[in-house]
Amino acid sequence: MLSEQEVDPAALERALRAEVDGEVRFDAGSRGAYATDGSNYRQVPLGVVVPRSVEAGAAAVAVCSRFAAPVLSRGGGTSLGGQCTNAAVVIDWTKYCHRLISVDPGARTCVVEPGIVLDDLNRRLAPHGLKFGPKPSTHTHCALGGMIGNNSCGASAQAYGKTVDNVSRLEVLTYEGTRFWAGPTGEDEYARIVAAGGAQARLYQGLRDVAGRHLADIRTGYPKIPRRVSGYNLDSLLPENGFDVARALVGSEGTLVTVLRAELQLVEVPAAEALLVLGFDDIYQAADAVPGLLEHSHPTQLEAIDGRMAQLMREEHAHLDSLDSLPEGESWLLLQFTGDTKEEADEQALEVLRALDRDEDDPRVALSDDPAREQEMLRAREAGLGVTARPPDGSETWEGWEDSAVAPERLGDYLRDLERLFNRYGYQQASLYGHFGQGCVHTRIPFELRDGKGVEAFRAFLFDAADLVSSYGGSLSGEHGDGQARGELLPRMFTPALMAAMGEVKALFDPGNRMNPGKVVHPHRVDSDMRIGATWRPESQSTYFAYPDDGNDFGQAVLRCVGIGNCRSQQGGVMCPSYRATGEEEHSTRGRARLLFEMLGGHDDSPVTGSWRSTEVRDALDLCLACKGCKSDCPVGVDMATYKAEFLAHHYQGRLRPASHYAMGWLPLWTRLARAAPALANAALHAPGLSRIGKVLAGIAPQRDAPLFAAESFRESWHRSGRPQPDPGDPRTVLLWPDTFTDHFHPHIADAAVRVLEDAGFRVAVPDGPVCCGLTWISTGQLATATKVLRRTTAVLRPWLQAGTPIVGLEPSCTAVFRSDAPDLLAGDQDIVRLAAQTRTFAEQLVNHAPDSWQPPQLSRAATVQTHCHQHAVLGADPDRELMRRAGLDAEVLDEGCCGLAGNFGFERGHYDLSQVIAEQGVLPAVRDTAPGAFVLADGFSCRTQIEQAGTGRRAVHLAEALALALDGPPPADHPEQAVPRPQHRPAPARLLTAGLVGAAAGLAAGGARAVLRHRKARKVWTR
């Protein structure tokens, strides 16, 4: 058998490029992005292939087989056992191979390609009233191929079983090239296959031989529990189970075959649901109650949350609405029931209460048949991995023993023994939760994986835990599979005969051990190939940002990413717009975090070198919009926008930067210079020919129009009016922040805000001197300059800061700087601390601090609302929703993600196309669909610019402008934004400027020509 070192990567890459219709990547960046999954393990791949079709994927396997190169099929890459990391050629099916090939509603089956995402599949099945039953917590981004490989389950397995129970047939490919559809195999079908001869016949004969020789061991050696996922499914080969080869291959984690297509069994979408929540004193009592609940009911889900998880949610300010909905108790069971009607679903829950001698008035009971509320509460349970991964106290928790399973009737005793084992090893504060209706326990344990003794303890604990669960007749894994985390432990669960049988099956399908080697059979040690381990030695980094929630350590901040993969979702929230547009792992939050991890240099074999000068990291971050969506949407709070700014600061330190960093990063300076002649600046920026040259020199996308300067800035108008400054100490005083975008481009927004704030009884002040939040310098990584700008700003604001005057921001991105970036950049600066505490959004000021007697002007109008990404991530939009409600706005707040412009990103050369793809995924279609009489509201300058420049026929306005319009009476019935003034483009001056410059150039050219002629004549005279 060839080792991976004997594979010729260069020759392999050439062959793949020549023979595979797909993207072949052997570059350092791609290899770094795929070096780990959601587990504790890390192996750098040989390369990555992204096939454009299933046939191309099969061709890639054939090339790898010819070169004896290991192969790893990968879906969403969320595996917690190390199944999706290997020193192999990684085939990523998710970008292109995601078709729903066919649906048979009558038979309730469908055929899919391996890269299709579960939620996407169920959306496409919804018109038929059908869905795929198993639903892991990663349903927004897990691929069906990965679910088949891992035998995934999720909470809904209580009703629908594991993935293996929902697979009809599989089209598979062996490493040596045998391709066939597998499924239940009756005697006639078996005889036909054997009679045909060839490799498939040999496989089927070999499987029957293995099953026949080990018949008794297979029948007695597998735990009879709902959630046995560990090991190969040899029990599917039993005669009484139909010699089902497809189901035998489910859960084999890519170690036997490559799955090309799958025929799945489907279930009906229930018409009605009810959720019953029961409170208990502790998680052990909750577990003890499970058998009785199952005796009296048949819930479609029976989930558990313990007090530790609830505590972490409160500390992290996550899912607080769900926690408030929980009844009294320190641990909870959530039972979901379904029916054809609400009454039918409710009655099942009420029957349980009657059996328990409880009722709806019991303080330890909560009953809901509101689907939205139920989903919110269940999402809190789904968030368990993210909530428990990085507790606020700075401790680290890890997978490794995160999904053991026992029979539900033995669950309480098992949990008590598991807790005693935790205590023996000193592993305190491990949350216990999971799918208790099927005896499956999730937890993350505070292993110490950074030193040798900690790793030794980790290994010893896993063997003791394996012995414990086996003593209960349980399974090492209840849904996450074995991989490397549990492969070495399988002999503690299965007899030697069964282990030998699994080895025979592996040899039958993959005699050279090239299919995901080192997992399940012939596994690597549980403490080898670790992402963090005793040999991990990352370089320490001095940084501009403080990273106070990560121990002032950039490396620790990068380690926040545990591979959950929510950044690969396609709908809802903001994260991650670049992944949604590209489908590229490298352009997801997780992929970038992986590359930053590699950049830290903790492993000698890291493909990413050069530390802060790494071009691989630079290229991956280039398409990061710095939208900050991950800061709020990522379950562990990865803040890639901050990491990008940090990286750019070091990467370009002492070096020439891209032109756009000077053009866009120094925008506040250029806007102040343009105030000397704004009309001339507008003419120059829009002059034919001249503007194109300017964009080239400034690194600006040629498709973009420069925003127009207002004839007079807000501050100029304010100071010209001679209005006296109110007393900073007056409780009615507010300081209106004149951000660069509002001040110079859309000053009417500030005028409108003044009118509304004064209508609410506030006295408005404006800073006397020039001020800036430093946003554009931060987003382009010019952090030393941003720090100086912020210090100058706080000096100007000091009287207001010392008086505690509220500072009202109108531009969300600038307001977010004061709340988030500035305190991190200037940690400990008391002026910055005060600034962060005193900064409020326009809506926060009016909703939370206006006199009770004040009512906002009434608009009585519909509105489509695009929330700025930084507001979504840092500031929150609840006050805006409340203000719009009070003003009579029927607001449709979009959940369509980023607008795609994102400050300087969409203006930079090379980003325009991606910017538009992102916008067209939701925001722009929603704007186009807005009724003519409705408002389009967008408080962010970027959002307004994108909407206006994208040809939607609409112009977005700020909420302050809409409210100010209502102060003067009802806004126009049609396109109300027409009543809001904006700087207008005047083409004549631009054309005249171009003509003048052309004329001047022609004059200079003519003058030069005449001079040359005179010079030549003079030379002739001189030489006579």
Side-chain angles (χ1 to χ4, degrees), residues 919-944:
E920 291 291 355
Q921 288 182 332
V923 174
L924 295 184
V927 169
R928 294 189 190 101
D929 291 342
T930 301
F935 279 99
V936 177
L937 297 181
D939 286 0
F941 178 79
S942 293
C943 307
R944 294 194 300 274

Side-chain angles (χ1 to χ4, degrees), residues 743-754:
D743 190 23
H744 295 279
F745 300 110
H746 291 171
H748 181 265
I749 292 174
D751 295 332
V754 170

Side-chain angles (χ1 to χ4, degrees), residues 54 144 284 342 380 493 499 624 640 685 737 824 865 945 1006:
V54 166
L144 264 295
Y284 312 109
K342 279 190 175 184
M493 174 181 168
M499 291 304 303
C624 171
M640 194 54 62
L685 289 170
W737 175 254
D824 203 358
V865 184
T945 302

